Amino acid sequence: MNQMLQDAEVETSQADIAPETPAAPPVPDHPRFAKPQRVAFVQACWHREVVDECRISFLKEIEARHITNVDVFEVPGSFEIPLHAQILAKTRRYTAIVAAGLVVDGGIYRHEFVADTVIKALMDVQLRTEVPVFSAVLTPQQFHETEVHQDFFRRHFVIKGIEAAEACAKTLLSLERLRGQVAAGIAS
């Protein structure tokens, strides 16, 4: 009986011990750049509480990818982003430019017109200047000023910020390699 009591105590004491918490997943080891990179992040202030989530997640992810020189610029709305992007690209201080904004149907302009104009202009900037421009300018088909929609798009902008950082870092690495090959006469 004494043995049974001791066995029961051992089982109880083992059950009282909390299981070990699982280890955090390993942090991915991202490639490093041969030269320092500097990125401009141009953010529209229209619906700032939503678009801020993109900037926050972008900055966190881009730092994990070994890019720590990021300058943030704010503009009133998405329509103003392309001009800022062009001026920033022409300075040659930045190896990439990221644009973030939320274009919604506000009743003045059709939101499709604004979004299309912004995206085409950003593409023109990158092709004219050879500075890559990344867009996290989103145009939902429907956006209402409700808490449900704002929460949904806040979460969506977190994802878009991470995706923009990934695309930015991968493109800059690819361009760094390509330009190195061109300079070495390997690619023309």
Side-chain angles (χ1 to χ4, degrees):
M1 175 115 169
N2 198 6
Q3 181 65 33
M4 289 176 61
L5 184 57
Q6 288 176 345
D7 289 344
E9 289 174 2
V10 169
E11 287 176 21
T12 303
S13 64
Q14 288 175 350
D16 290 341
I17 299 173
E20 289 186 35
T21 56
V27 176
D29 187 25
H30 299 293
R32 296 194 177 269
F33 294 89
K35 296 180 180 177
Q37 305 294 312
R38 184 179 204 101
V39 175
F41 189 93
V42 183
Q43 175 182 336
C45 292
W46 189 257
H47 294 287
R48 177 193 302 270
E49 67 285 351
V50 175
V51 182
D52 274 348
E53 297 299 328
C54 183
R55 177 183 43 79
I56 292 164
S57 65
F58 174 85
L59 291 173
K60 183 177 178 183
E61 183 67 20
I62 203 73
E63 185 176 351
R65 293 172 180 272
H66 312 294
I67 298 175
T68 56
N69 294 320
V70 179
D71 295 334
V72 176
F73 299 87
E74 291 185 343
V75 295
S78 294
F79 203 74
E80 292 78 25
I81 292 173
L83 178 59
H84 275 69
Q86 180 170 288
I87 291 170
L88 292 167
K90 285 181 175 181
T91 68
R92 295 289 177 212
R93 291 185 65 208
Y94 299 97
T95 53
I97 299 166
V98 179
L102 179 63
V103 180
V104 299
D105 191 357
I108 298 171
Y109 298 114
R110 291 190 48 86
H111 63 289
E112 298 95 346
F113 164 77
V114 174
D116 189 49
T117 301
V118 169
I119 298 305
K120 284 181 180 177
L122 292 175
M123 180 58 74
D124 288 345
V125 168
Q126 90 173 340
L127 293 175
R128 262 188 266 123
T129 63
E130 295 186 4
V131 174
V133 178
F134 302 89
S135 175
V137 177
L138 303 184
T139 310
Q141 200 161 16
Q142 292 185 2
F143 178 83
H144 302 287
E145 298 284 340
T146 64
E147 195 60 36
V148 171
H149 271 214
Q150 288 185 356
D151 285 345
F152 173 82
F153 284 102
R154 274 195 213 74
R155 289 189 307 272
H156 192 61
F157 265 99
V158 169
I159 295 166
K160 289 301 167 190
I162 293 167
E163 291 173 350
E166 179 181 10
C168 181
K170 285 182 175 181
T171 300
L172 288 175
L173 279 166
S174 176
L175 288 173
E176 187 177 70
R177 288 183 190 122
L178 178 61
R179 289 177 176 141
Q181 291 172 349
V182 169
I186 298 169
S188 51

